[in-house]
Amino acid sequence: MFDGAEDRNGRRNFGEIRFWADYIRPGHGRYIYDDKGHRGGLRPGSSFVIAGDLNSDPLDGDSIPGSAQLLLENHWVDASFRPKSAGAAEAAALQGGANATHRSDPSRDTADFADVPGPGNLRADYVLPSRGLGVHGGGVFWPVSTDPLSRLTGTFPFPSSDHRLVWLDVARGR
């Protein structure tokens, strides 16, 4: 979407996601090293939360197929709770364009990108806890248009960002 036929951005996103998938999987991060030269990723059994803009929707958009799944289907990640918002579903319906052909549930979208020619609204931002951390709730801050707080997200040109805040309530051992 953001570059030419060489797909540098898509390849870079894939590489970043693969890095995190390798970092959390025991035995797969030997190429990773810190400032002291220690190699490898997390120790087995470590708790973690991966949070941020991965720019990769599991079903829609033009990221390299399977990119998001490297984390969403990772044995070490608990991706069972998928945050959502009513505002994302409303935006997809009102904006149309590429959103009309998407396979993903629009209430799970976290970013409001160009609808024509696309890619449309996508799930691009994540909070992914490790297995064993209890998820007690969460969401995407994307208020519906009638909510007074929608002024904080708005429509293009956005008053804040085209990405929306994603949050989870997690607690260890509850």
Side-chain angles (χ1 to χ4, degrees), residues 13 18 25 47 55 74 84 87 124 129 136 138 146 148 152 167 173:
N13 283 349
R18 180 175 170 230
R25 185 175 176 196
S47 295
N55 268 336
N74 190 298
K84 64 181 180 175
H136 302 282
T146 57
L152 299 173
W167 57 276

Side-chain angles (χ1 to χ4, degrees), residues 56-60 63 66 68-69 72 103-104 123 126:
S56 184
D57 186 284
L59 297 175
D60 302 310
S63 61
Q69 287 81 347
L72 295 176
R103 297 174 288 160
S104 294
R123 182 181 182 197
Y126 297 84

Side-chain angles (χ1 to χ4, degrees), residues 109-120:
D109 290 341
T110 65
D112 191 348
F113 298 132
D115 305 304
V116 177

Side-chain angles (χ1 to χ4, degrees), residues 82-92 104-110 122-123 139-140 142:
R82 296 182 305 146
K84 64 181 180 175
S85 70
E90 177 192 53
S104 294
D105 177 353
S107 72
R108 311 279 183 201
D109 290 341
T110 65
L122 301 171
R123 182 181 182 197
V140 178
W142 195 330

